Structures are given as C-alpha cells and as structure tokens.
Amino acid sequence: MKKVGIAAFTDAGRALADRITEAYDGHVQFIRYESGLKDWCACCFAQAHGLIFIGACGIAVRTIAPFLKSKMSDPAVLVIDEKGQYVISLLSGHIGGANEFAADVAELIGAVPVITTASDVNGLIAVDVFAKKNHLAIASMKAAKLTEAALLRRDPVGIVCCGGLSGEVPKELTLLPKWSGTVPENRNKEAAVPGMKHLIWISEKAPGEKELAYYFGAEDGCVLHLIPRSVMLGIGCRKGKPYEEIRSVVGDLLKQEGIPADALDMAASIDLKKEEDGIKRLCREYGIGFAAYPAEMLRQVPGTFEASEFVRKTTGVDNVCERAALLAAGEGGKIIRKKYAENGVTAALAVRKWRVCFGE
C-alpha cells in the first residue's frame, strides 16, 4: 500500500485533509502531520511515495529543502491551497509521479491541477515518464535532459526499439528501423535521417560503434539508452566458489556483451546450487531474483546447447547455465550469449520477450 504524508496548518486545511484521506478509502496509508514538521518531513522522505502540503508553497519549499537528493529518488510533493481550489505539482513531477498524483487529487476534490513541467505544457512526450511507465532504466540522466531539451527545441529525435512496440509513436519522434546487424556497403557517412543528432535507444544492450555509425554517421550525437529489465543470467560454479570470483566473471561477461547490470532480471541455475552463497550474494547485489531448477526441468528445455559430459555426470544435465537462462526467459525467450566459462564459473545470457507501449 502506498504511503503519503499529508500536512495541514489551519482548521480549513485539516478539514480538506480529512476529505482527501476519506476519498482514498483506505487504498493509501496517510502519515498525518501532528507536530514536529521537520521530523514528519524526514519520516515521509524516508518511506512515503508522496507528500501533500495544504497551505502556502513557501512552507512546503522551506520544509522539504534539507531533504532533497535527486529527481530519481525524491518523492512527489503537492501543494494545495486550504480552499481546495488548486493542486500544484511542486516536486518530482515526472519520475516521482507528482503530475499524475496532482491530477488524481484534483479530480477527487474538484480542484484545478497546476502542472508546470515543460514537456507537459507543450504537449510533448516526457522521456522519464515514458521510461517509468514501461519499467525502463535510464542509463544517463544527463542524456535524458539533453533529449528532452532537443524535443522542446523541436530538433529531430529518433527512436529505435529492439523489442516489441505498441501504441502510436508521438509525432515529435521519428521511428527508425531496428538494427539489422550490418551496415550496407553502399552506405555513406550521412546519418540515417538527415540532421539526426539525438537518438532514444531502447534495448537490453548498449549501442556499439557500428550501430552509432549507422544511425548517426557522426560522433557528436546524443544517445539516451533506456534499458528493459529483460536479461536472464544462467549461472553455475564449483561448490563454495567465492563471491568475488563469481562477480568478476559475470562482470566480464556483461561488459563483453555491452549489457548493463540494470538489464538483469533474474539469475537461474540448477537446484544443486540453490544455497550457493556466492550466487545468492551476487543476486542481492544486483537486486534480482534467483531461480533454481531441478535437473529434470533443465533436461526438457528445447534447443542446442554446449554439452559437457563432466557436467552431465555431476549434475544430471549436460549444460546448466544455457538451459537455466533459457528456461527463466520463458516462452519466446532466446539465448543471446552462449556459455562463458572462466575460473570455475560458467555463465550464459538469455533475453525474454518484451515490449514498450506508447500511450495509456
């Protein structure tokens, strides 16, 4: 259940706070301000999804100022006048969800939502909101800001989606063809779209030199990499393998494949490894789940795998990492890196089917 802090400073404001809490009918846990405004605010910033101040904007600004850290982590902050006429999205309008929250609260109390973020005012896509709705990690907030600025200037911005795509692409974006893996021999050094210097690249892999040369034909383009959490790490190791050695091998593999850690969704192995401390610690570091399958399930995974007789005798299945990765990826998944073995650790990567959606 979402937690929201709500503070009011007058009888009229407190009555409005009561209306808001009642309107959500138990679907939101409200943290009411009673006394100690600084301590209340600290508590809300630590655990709440949003804060509502019913009163002057100045009170809200001075109260939250010491606690501000980053637009990636700060909660949504709204300010409402005590008569309930306006609901102002004050902080974290996009990633924090304050713009949507303001519209929601305004509808509940019959107020006017006040939204001031430039993309919303101009009716343009907000790339950070798009990323949040589609559960995409933003590789660089600097690139996100540069891309949003380019959209506001009406500069051409291309988009490449390496997965599925639904909905209508906004008119301010140019949908470009997926990377085919090769650059045509007759291709000159001009960009795929003349004047294109901004690219939104949606993929589990970072774009390489060939991809950038194909889409830009120049080195000064800005790439905003949006990362779906879609990669499954199949892993095996000798018993008792230290975490540091497992981490080193996995890190090398991801680097070789151009896959950021944010793309990892799950690690998978055979059930013989379900209590392997090094693997479990790796999963905690990456913030991913760990699935451990019995040998019988792994044997039934269809496909061609790099078989090992030693592994078969030891575990009952000819290949653990590739089969486990593909099983975790589910229907429609595919191997994107076959077995990589180093220092008693084996790892493979598979990607599940994924898509992004424009619009609701």
Side-chain angles (χ1 to χ4, degrees), residues 231-234 253-254 257 259 264 321-322 325 334-339 347-351:
V231 176
M232 310 298 165
L233 169 67
L253 175 60
L254 295 177
E257 296 301 308
I259 295 177
L264 291 179
C321 61
E322 292 176 11
K334 62 180 180 179
I335 293 286
I336 55 175
R337 171 62 190 254
K338 295 183 75 67
K339 184 171 73 174
L349 301 172
V351 62

Side-chain angles (χ1 to χ4, degrees), residues 262-344:
D262 282 334
L264 291 179
D265 185 47
M266 181 182 291
S269 189
I270 193 168
D271 57 4
L272 293 173
K273 297 297 176 183
K274 64 182 179 181
E275 297 301 329
E276 196 70 46
D277 286 341
I279 296 177
K280 291 168 68 176
R281 182 177 170 186
L282 180 80
C283 292
R284 288 196 298 271
E285 178 187 333
Y286 283 137
I288 60 177
F290 179 37
Y293 304 111
E296 179 61 29
M297 286 186 66
L298 294 176
R299 283 197 297 269
Q300 294 175 8
V301 177
T304 302
F305 305 100
E306 187 176 323
S308 165
E309 187 60 30
F310 173 78
V311 173
R312 189 198 310 272
K313 290 180 178 179
T314 305
T315 67
V317 62
D318 60 359
N319 181 299
V320 170
C321 61
E322 292 176 11
R323 289 178 178 273
L326 194 55
L327 183 57
E331 185 178 355
K334 62 180 180 179
I335 293 286
I336 55 175
R337 171 62 190 254
K338 295 183 75 67
K339 184 171 73 174
Y340 173 69
E342 182 182 340
N343 194 21

Side-chain angles (χ1 to χ4, degrees), residues 181-236:
T182 59
V183 179
E185 292 184 4
N186 62 350
R187 173 66 194 278
N188 59 29
K189 290 189 176 181
E190 292 181 358
V193 178
M196 186 73 66
K197 289 190 176 182
H198 297 271
L199 180 69
I200 299 174
W201 174 266
I202 310 176
S203 173
E204 66 276 359
K205 289 190 175 187
E209 293 182 3
K210 289 183 178 180
E211 291 96 319
L212 295 179
Y214 177 73
Y215 289 106
F216 284 131
E219 297 180 355
D220 60 346
C222 172
V223 179
L224 171 58
H225 183 195
L226 301 181
I227 310 161
R229 193 174 282 275
S230 58
V231 176
M232 310 298 165
L233 169 67
I235 190 164

Side-chain angles (χ1 to χ4, degrees), residues 19-77:
R19 281 179 57 198
I20 293 170
T21 56
E22 290 170 3
Y24 278 95
D25 192 27
H27 296 294
V28 172
Q29 180 182 344
F30 284 93
I31 306 171
R32 295 288 293 257
Y33 162 67
E34 300 294 343
S35 62
L37 190 58
K38 182 178 179 180
D39 291 340
W40 170 85
C41 190
C43 173
C44 292
F45 262 71
Q47 59 180 288
H49 295 80
L51 292 80
I52 300 174
F53 288 85
I54 301 177
C57 282
I59 296 175
V61 170
R62 285 191 293 271
T63 303
I64 67 175
F67 304 101
L68 300 181
K69 293 180 180 178
S70 164
K71 68 182 296 181
M72 297 296 290
S73 59
D74 291 337
V77 178

